[in-house]
Amino acid sequence: MHEMQAGAAQTLRAEGVDEEESDAARLTRNFYAGKVMPGTQLDLFRNRGWIFAQREIPRGKHVRPLHRAADQIDDVTIATAAGSYDLVDYVSRNRVAGLLILQNGRVALEQYELGNDATTPWISMSVAKSVGTTLVGAAIRDGLIKSVEDQLTHYLPQLKGTAYDGVTVRHLLQMTTGLCWDETHTLAASERRRMLELQIEQKPGIVLRYLASRPRIAPSGTRFVYGTGDAHVIGVLLNAVTGGWVSDYLSKKIWSVIGMEHSAHWWLEAPGGLEAAGSGINATLRDYARFGQFFLEGGIVGTESILPPGWMREAGTSRTIGGQRVDYGYMWWPVPGRDGTFADGAFSARGIFGQYIYINPALQLVIVTLSARSKPRFAEVILDNDFFNAVSDLYR
């Protein structure tokens, strides 16, 4: 199904062609398992829907220009445990389809490969999690959520009596709900793959019912367990407190006001239903960079603060959970420097197959990497953090 486009898959479903729908579902499963060939994988990354319904995230009238920096990066030496690499190595060996570096808000490098260009939408996978928690910050700023210490069931009373009862908004943001979860994409029996099967069914509410049935393996707030299920609940929470779709709130608070060049799209759990808040935002390389720059600037647009004071720092900082340091914030990953410290306060949004928005506040640096690697995790030849640190060293 080399040309299996989202529209084609949805047309087949509407016409009741069960055999073709099964082919689309099979291809989706194989993608998540890392079992599709490179050409097919590229087609999927550039498609915005696959078997999933989607909702538009409208841009505004103004486009924020991304001016070219005076000094352009034409190469970088990347020191790794396996030896030194250069920029060509990073792009080619890690199957990077798009790479953009902003320093002080100006473009120091912009590179497209594998048939992409500045207009190509790309699925960012779990980068959506970081976008979702940013919207929670916006909802707090708007007074729709009083505090991260509030009980989740205050806003989602339907979760009373489930394992989410007793979970705070903070616990949800930092994935310390204590629910049983296995995120292994390549394991068909994992909770993540079970959630994928439910997403493929495209029935409203079915994912939340599954999540609410999961047992708790630790008291809330005491154990970090990475799980896309918790990110889905972020979307349910945002829908409840805003009274509308998450895509619309993202457009209202960020996409339409910070100067995005293109409208984006977000996968849905069902036609006309909730966003699949843990993944599935489709946008262009430059617009991902604009989002990173917006976050780096503290969520301030003109004279308006979209986010609460200090939200960026709080969202990107390591925690102590159960007496141990956990390098995870509000669904952002703190990134240590080459010396192993977090002195720069750097962190990243990241998604499987090599999607990143890296932010270094100390150096006013944003790096976006969009990739098409062979496996969901640990398929990179050159560690992305090594690359980010190599670029950071250029500005010290």
Side-chain angles (χ1 to χ4, degrees), residues 256-285:
S256 69
V257 297
I258 70 170
M260 295 304 199
E261 192 171 359
H262 299 278
S263 296
H265 292 80
W266 204 329
W267 287 346
L268 306 180
E269 65 167 1
L274 294 174
E275 284 75 7
S279 62
I281 290 179
N282 296 258
T284 62
L285 179 68

Side-chain angles (χ1 to χ4, degrees), residues 53-109:
Q54 62 203 280
R55 181 170 290 119
E56 186 179 36
I57 306 165
R59 68 176 181 89
K61 295 180 180 179
H62 167 71
V63 175
R64 177 174 179 168
L66 296 179
H67 297 296
R68 181 181 172 91
D71 295 324
Q72 293 290 294
I73 297 173
D74 57 11
D75 205 355
V76 59
T77 300
I78 310 163
T80 76
S84 292
Y85 296 91
D86 62 15
L87 180 61
V88 171
D89 291 328
Y90 177 70
V91 171
S92 59
R93 298 188 185 204
N94 282 14
R95 279 182 58 80
V96 173
L99 176 62
L100 197 151
I101 298 174
L102 294 178
Q103 204 277 324
N104 281 331
R106 290 181 173 268
V107 179
L109 185 149

Side-chain angles (χ1 to χ4, degrees), residues 237-278:
L237 172 64
L238 287 166
N239 173 253
V241 300
T242 66
W245 303 122
V246 180
S247 296
D248 292 340
Y249 193 57
L250 174 56
S251 175
K252 175 184 176 182
K253 302 304 298 184
I254 300 175
W255 219 263
S256 69
V257 297
I258 70 170
M260 295 304 199
E261 192 171 359
H262 299 278
S263 296
H265 292 80
W266 204 329
W267 287 346
L268 306 180
E269 65 167 1
L274 294 174
E275 284 75 7

Side-chain angles (χ1 to χ4, degrees), residues 13 28 118 120 149 221 230 242 286 326 345 376 389:
R13 180 164 51 244
T28 300
T120 304
E149 307 305 339
D230 283 349
T242 66
R286 286 187 165 202
V326 175
N389 281 322

Side-chain angles (χ1 to χ4, degrees), residues 22 32 45 66 95 99 177 210 325:
S22 296
Y32 271 86
F45 264 117
L66 296 179
R95 279 182 58 80
L99 176 62
T177 58
Y210 171 66
R325 190 188 82 190

